[in-house]
Amino acid sequence: VTVVLGSLAAYGFARLRFAGKQYLFYMVLASRIVPEVSLIVPFYLLVRSIGLLDTYLGLIVTYIPISLPLVIFILVAYFETIPREIVNAARVDGCNRFQTLWRVILPLSTPAIITAGVFAFLTSWNEFLFPLVLTQTMNSRPITVTLLDFVSEFSVSYARMNAAGVACVVVPVALAMFFQRYFIRGLIAGAVKG
């Protein structure tokens, strides 16, 4: 969800002209400066009021605004490196803005999209505070919060905690190793403007 929304927003910031574009872009980036601890009560009240407390959908709704600014930042930097001539050629061939995004920009941006998706996933995977507050049962808790259940008032189950810790690390490491070749291209290409 974050990559889809981030792709559309990044295309708008990178290729469209509208009043207040730079101001809005900096506001999106500045939203990451706000400490997550200060957002937990408003998010709790919001998720509770729409009836998504203790659900996966409630967690997804809270993860989107946390990782969306990072995805937009990565994709804007990459979309700006794509030559305008390619975009103009697609427009001359009859593509509208959405078709240009879908048929030209997104296929050329595969490394950046994969990089942004992996970063969004890792941001959500490593989140601890929101799932701790927004979930109450084992059915909806992610594994990162489930580790806390191995600690009781009088004992700590080190063997189970270590096994669950290894299970927590396997997915991000496997993901990073599988997409490793895209990371360098996805991050470096957006850093150098042609």
Side-chain angles (χ1 to χ4, degrees):
V1 173
T2 305
V3 171
V4 171
L5 294 175
S7 298
L8 295 172
Y11 178 71
F13 284 127
R15 295 295 176 188
L16 302 179
R17 292 182 184 156
F18 55 91
K21 178 172 89 168
Q22 291 290 18
Y23 177 74
L24 184 60
F25 180 66
Y26 291 134
M27 289 297 292
V28 167
L29 293 181
S31 67
R32 282 296 293 154
I33 297 172
V34 178
E36 293 177 7
V37 174
S38 65
L39 299 174
I40 194 67
V41 172
F43 271 110
Y44 178 81
L45 295 174
L46 174 71
V47 170
R48 188 182 70 180
S49 68
I50 57 178
L52 295 177
L53 200 60
D54 202 29
T55 63
Y56 288 124
L57 188 57
L59 291 176
I60 292 169
V61 167
T62 58
Y63 290 156
I64 290 172
I66 292 171
S67 57
L68 189 60
L70 176 67
V71 170
I72 291 172
F73 177 71
I74 291 171
L75 293 180
V76 164
Y78 196 89
F79 288 172
E80 287 177 346
T81 64
I82 296 174
R84 288 202 177 271
E85 292 78 20
I86 295 175
V87 175
N88 292 339
R91 298 295 302 234
V92 168
D93 287 342
C95 291
N96 61 27
R97 291 193 189 279
F98 183 75
Q99 289 172 332
T100 303
L101 172 67
W102 184 255
R103 293 182 180 174
V104 177
I105 293 183
L106 291 182
L108 292 173
S109 304
T110 303
I113 291 169
I114 290 173
T115 301
V118 169
F119 275 120
F121 172 78
L122 292 177
T123 301
S124 301
W125 182 268
N126 292 331
E127 183 60 43
F128 180 78
L129 182 62
F130 283 105
L132 179 67
V133 173
L134 299 177
T135 60
Q136 293 142 357
T137 63
M138 292 289 288
N139 295 336
S140 59
R141 277 195 173 165
I143 193 169
T144 52
V145 178
T146 307
L147 286 173
L148 193 60
D149 293 336
F150 297 124
V151 178
S152 67
E153 187 177 352
F154 300 108
S155 67
V156 176
S157 178
Y158 289 109
R160 290 181 181 175
M161 186 178 283
N162 288 337
V166 169
C168 283
V169 172
V170 166
V171 173
V173 168
L175 198 64
M177 289 176 65
F178 185 73
F179 291 116
Q180 181 180 7
R181 64 185 176 140
Y182 292 106
F183 285 153
I184 303 298
R185 282 193 286 165
L187 290 175
I188 298 299
V192 179
K193 294 191 178 187

